[in-house]
């Protein structure tokens, strides 16, 4: 009787154990594929990601030029009022704008 009670759960639970083992084997076999796929995603840049990055760079460039232009106008106004330091500053800002336009 004890033998029957000991063997009964093993026979009844065989399907559960098989599905657990199958799931583990599938996870172990699929792991390298997932790792390679994730690595490829990290190392490659899609066209849309590249476009977004270029767009951010262009906006940043335009913002900097706008800021420099506003500073130049203020410096030129002060220079016209006779402030020699403002004249120097205006020349420096013009040089910086030229550098920015060249992409330096």
């Amino acid at each position: 009787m004890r033998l029957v009670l000991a063997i009964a759960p093993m026979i009844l639970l065989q399907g559960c154990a098989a599905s657990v083992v199958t799931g583990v084997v599938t996870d172990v076999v699929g792991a390298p594929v997932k790792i390679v796929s994730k690595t490829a995603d990290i190392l490659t840049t899609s066209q849309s990601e590249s476009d977004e990055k270029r767009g951010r760079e262009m906006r940043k460039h335009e913002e900097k030029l706008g800021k420099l232009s506003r500073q130049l106008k203020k410096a030129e106004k002060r220079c016209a009022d006779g402030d020699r330091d403002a004249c120097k500053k205006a020349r420096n800002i013009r040089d910086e704008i030229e550098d920015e336009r060249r992409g330096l």
Side-chain angles (χ1 to χ4, degrees):
M1 184 65 164
R2 286 186 185 164
L3 183 62
V4 172
L5 289 176
I7 295 176
M10 287 193 285
I11 293 172
L12 295 173
L13 296 176
Q14 236 177 3
C16 293
S19 68
V20 169
V21 170
T22 303
V24 171
V25 169
T26 303
D27 290 344
V28 170
V29 170
V33 173
K34 289 178 184 176
I35 292 170
V36 169
S37 174
K38 185 69 172 173
T39 303
D41 285 346
I42 290 171
L43 294 177
T44 58
T45 304
S46 71
Q47 185 62 44
S48 65
E49 290 169 331
S50 182
D51 291 345
E52 289 171 8
K53 182 179 178 185
R54 179 70 181 135
R56 281 191 299 271
E57 290 171 356
M58 289 174 65
R59 281 190 300 278
K60 193 174 185 179
H61 174 74
E62 292 298 322
E63 287 171 7
K64 186 168 184 177
L65 283 175
K67 181 180 177 182
L68 289 171
S69 294
R70 289 187 297 275
Q71 290 174 353
L72 179 61
K73 283 183 183 181
K74 287 179 185 178
E76 286 175 337
K77 184 176 183 206
R78 289 187 195 131
C79 179
D81 292 338
D83 185 348
R84 288 185 181 199
D85 288 335
C87 294
K88 264 187 205 178
K89 186 174 182 178
R91 281 192 299 274
N92 290 339
I93 293 171
R94 277 190 213 98
D95 291 342
E96 196 172 343
I97 288 173
E98 282 303 312
D99 290 346
E100 186 67 27
R101 286 187 176 149
R102 282 189 226 124
L104 299 177

